[in-house]
Amino acid sequence: MTQTTSFPKNQIKVLLLEGLHKESVRRIEAEGFHVISEKRAYDEAELLEIIPEIHVLGIRSKTYVSAKAMAKAKRLLSIGAFCIGTNQIDLRAAKIQGVPVFNAPYSNTRSVAELVIAEVIMLARQLFGKISSAHAGEWNKSAAGSMEVRGKTLGIIGYGHIGQQVSVLAEALGMRVLFYDVVDKLTMGNATRVPDLRDLMERSDYVTLHVPGTRDTQGMIGAKQLDWMKSGACLINASRGTVVDIDALAARLKSGRLAGAAIDVFPEEPKSVGDRFSSPLQGLPNVLLTPHIGGSTEEAQRNIGLEVAMKLIRFVNNGSTEGAVNFPNEVLPEMADQHRILHIHQNVPGVLQKVNTLFGEAGINVTGQFLRTYEDVGYLIMDANKNATQKIIRDLKNMPETIKVRALF
Ligand code: NAI
């Protein structure tokens, strides 16, 4: 990044909590910010005390940023959630204070896809039983029921980031790929789109779920849908625990109607490492149970760290908000020899006109203008020639619709 902020970089205080990946900390430090890095999460009292001084906050899932904390975060420019979820942050409170929140929703896509492919092969070869019996001292050398995956049909439900990666990897193994999605998706390789869920369930030897956890997908695979599956087929779920009716699945595995399952996500999951986990699927043959580790790899952790660090750095340095979860998304060009004014405002009629009038009256030449809105917040970026002054910033700050103004040069 070549830009500097009007505010000296070494005075931008960045608080990084919860032991972020060392490369992301290093990347942020390399920008010359004043970085405080802690291994642990902060509780609300600790956060309330420090947050008034902080410009950028980086957390994972265990530090809660409440509306109360946001109300005290007078200097806060942005929050980085160095994880997938952002439920730990009051996104609305952040938004109305003009604080974009960034996360890394797709940094672990490949990790999930690789686990799914491994599971398809494990189910096909009944590896769980074979491995367990070898560990128990049994020599169960039989080919009965063990299959190659080549030539078999994999049905993918939800052809998004993960679904598409699974599709590519499965074809490389010689599988036929069908997919079903509610949205029109570009087909990868020779995969075939099917018109409805039933068609996919009836034709697939392995069905894998990659849909989001929404009201529409809750319970989408119940007894009726499981009964559409081929006899002896297998089900894989590494999406969300709410998507599959586990009792209905357990019944069909026990009766032998389905040959196996690999489940990584559950309707109720233990809150912390070490808590007891129980499921009706425990103890069933050819059922792989994993503790929600689809995306848990060293590479994914590193990618998450770098992705969020870069989003924060880009926002501080040039105002880009691409990928913000609670804020207008704007990808901004690198700044040439100019000033950039970032004006975050309430999204009400007439703001653009007022700002343009202020610039016109000041005789400032605008070289680029970008405006994005998200719900009740607007984000206006004005690139101006070098004569943009402190006066214009004062005038902008005095507008009643203004939430925040920042100048970069
Ligand atoms: P994505 O948003 O890229 O893809 C989801 C796809 O599902 C989209 O193409 C969407 O159009 C489609 N879809 C939505 N509703 C549908 C419906 N009712 N029927 C059919 N298709 C539907 O999401 P991504 O990144 O591929 O993630 C998929 C799932 O994997 C999510 O539930 C996510 O939470 C989960 N996940 C699980 C991890 C794990 O550790 N097991 C790690 C990462 C993600």
Side-chain angles (χ1 to χ4, degrees):
M1 296 278 157
T2 51
Q3 280 81 45
T4 55
T5 57
S6 55
F7 197 64
K9 277 191 158 186
N10 61 4
Q11 288 179 33
I12 294 184
K13 264 197 179 171
V14 181
L15 175 64
L16 302 177
L17 299 175
E18 304 187 55
L20 302 186
H21 196 278
K22 58 181 183 309
E23 282 196 46
S24 50
V25 177
R26 212 179 294 141
R27 191 69 200 76
I28 293 169
E29 282 172 343
E31 286 295 314
F33 302 137
H34 175 108
V35 177
I36 308 159
S37 178
E38 292 256 26
K39 287 233 172 318
R40 58 189 187 89
Y42 273 16
D43 62 24
E44 189 172 44
E46 289 172 298
L47 197 61
L48 286 175
E49 197 182 319
I50 197 166
I51 209 164
E53 301 162 27
I54 298 301
H55 296 98
V56 176
L57 176 65
I59 58 170
R60 287 161 90 148
S61 55
K62 294 200 173 67
T63 302
Y64 289 86
V65 186
S66 61
K68 202 165 148 195
M70 282 309 306
K72 292 194 119 199
K74 296 293 178 216
R75 296 195 167 91
L76 197 63
L77 299 175
S78 182
I79 302 174
F82 285 72
C83 50
I84 312 293
T86 49
N87 294 343
Q88 70 282 34
I89 301 163
D90 191 320
L91 293 178
R92 184 174 154 69
K95 178 191 69 175
I96 57 177
Q97 271 176 246
V99 174
V101 174
F102 298 99
N103 67 341
Y106 305 119
S107 289
N108 58 7
T109 296
R110 175 70 183 207
S111 305
V112 181
E114 287 190 10
L115 180 73
V116 168
I117 292 298
E119 289 174 338
V120 171
I121 297 175
M122 287 187 78
L123 292 171
R125 298 296 290 269
Q126 305 194 335
L127 274 187
F128 178 54
K130 294 271 193 299
I131 293 168
S132 307
S133 59
H135 274 281
E138 291 160 24
W139 195 246
N140 181 10
K141 186 177 159 40
S142 159
S146 285
M147 312 280 182
E148 289 185 354
V149 299
R150 179 171 49 163
K152 305 296 183 302
T153 301
L154 176 69
I156 301 173
I157 303 173
Y159 205 61
H161 288 79
I162 298 171
Q164 292 180 20
Q165 288 275 326
V166 170
S167 175
V168 171
L169 295 174
E171 283 204 326
L173 289 171
M175 298 189 81
R176 284 197 211 100
V177 176
L178 306 177
F179 72 90
Y180 166 70
D181 199 298
V182 282
V183 172
D184 252 344
K185 292 283 172 163
L186 181 70
T187 300
M188 312 296 284
N190 293 317
T192 306
R193 183 188 186 103
V194 297
D196 59 51
L197 183 61
R198 180 169 187 157
D199 198 22
L200 180 130
M201 305 286 283
E202 285 177 350
R203 290 166 62 190
S204 302
D205 301 300
Y206 301 86
V207 172
T208 183
L209 290 155
H210 300 292
V211 291
T214 61
R215 211 180 303 147
D216 284 349
T217 61
Q218 182 152 8
M220 105 184 249
I221 305 298
K224 182 168 90 176
Q225 291 75 20
L226 291 169
D227 287 340
W228 291 338
M229 289 176 76
K230 282 184 182 179
S231 192
C234 296
L235 184 81
I236 299 169
N237 185 19
S239 62
R240 284 295 163 120
T242 48
V243 178
V244 177
D245 178 339
I246 291 284
D247 290 319
L249 175 65
R252 281 147 189 84
L253 289 162
K254 281 180 192 155
S255 71
R257 168 77 176 69
L258 295 179
I263 307 293
D264 186 47
V265 287
F266 301 86
E268 276 160 32
E269 296 180 3
K271 294 248 175 315
S272 332
V273 174
D275 287 357
R276 279 301 297 165
F277 161 66
S278 72
S279 166
L281 299 174
Q282 282 165 330
L284 299 180
N286 213 26
V287 173
L288 308 170
L289 302 180
T290 46
H292 203 147
I293 42 108
S296 306
T297 62
E298 301 263 345
E299 287 87 346
Q301 286 308 309
R302 179 178 175 276
N303 292 343
I304 287 169
L306 289 178
E307 184 178 335
V308 180
M310 287 315 294
K311 285 175 176 170
L312 289 173
I313 291 167
R314 232 175 265 137
F315 176 66
V316 173
N317 284 353
N318 106 335
S320 280
T321 52
E322 188 187 16
V325 295
N326 64 336
F327 205 77
N329 274 222
E330 183 63 66
V331 187
L332 293 169
E334 289 287 303
M335 280 160 49
D337 193 21
Q338 73 222 64
H339 280 201
R340 177 166 286 168
I341 312 284
L342 311 172
H343 182 246
I344 302 168
H345 56 268
Q346 291 157 16
N347 182 20
V348 292
V351 174
L352 183 60
Q353 196 182 2
K354 277 193 192 176
V355 174
N356 282 338
T357 304
L358 283 178
F359 273 73
E361 283 171 353
I364 295 170
N365 187 32
V366 174
T367 54
Q369 189 176 59
F370 312 85
L371 172 66
R372 288 261 171 225
T373 58
Y374 175 75
E375 297 172 349
D376 45 359
V377 169
Y379 187 34
L380 175 63
I381 300 99
M382 310 280 279
D383 283 350
N385 65 9
K386 287 228 118 183
N387 298 327
T389 58
Q390 285 305 316
K391 177 175 177 328
I392 197 100
I393 294 169
R394 247 192 339 267
D395 290 345
L396 288 169
K397 281 187 176 161
N398 287 337
M399 280 173 55
E401 301 88 349
T402 296
I403 298 173
K404 240 185 194 125
V405 181
R406 199 154 66 91
L408 306 174
F409 51 81

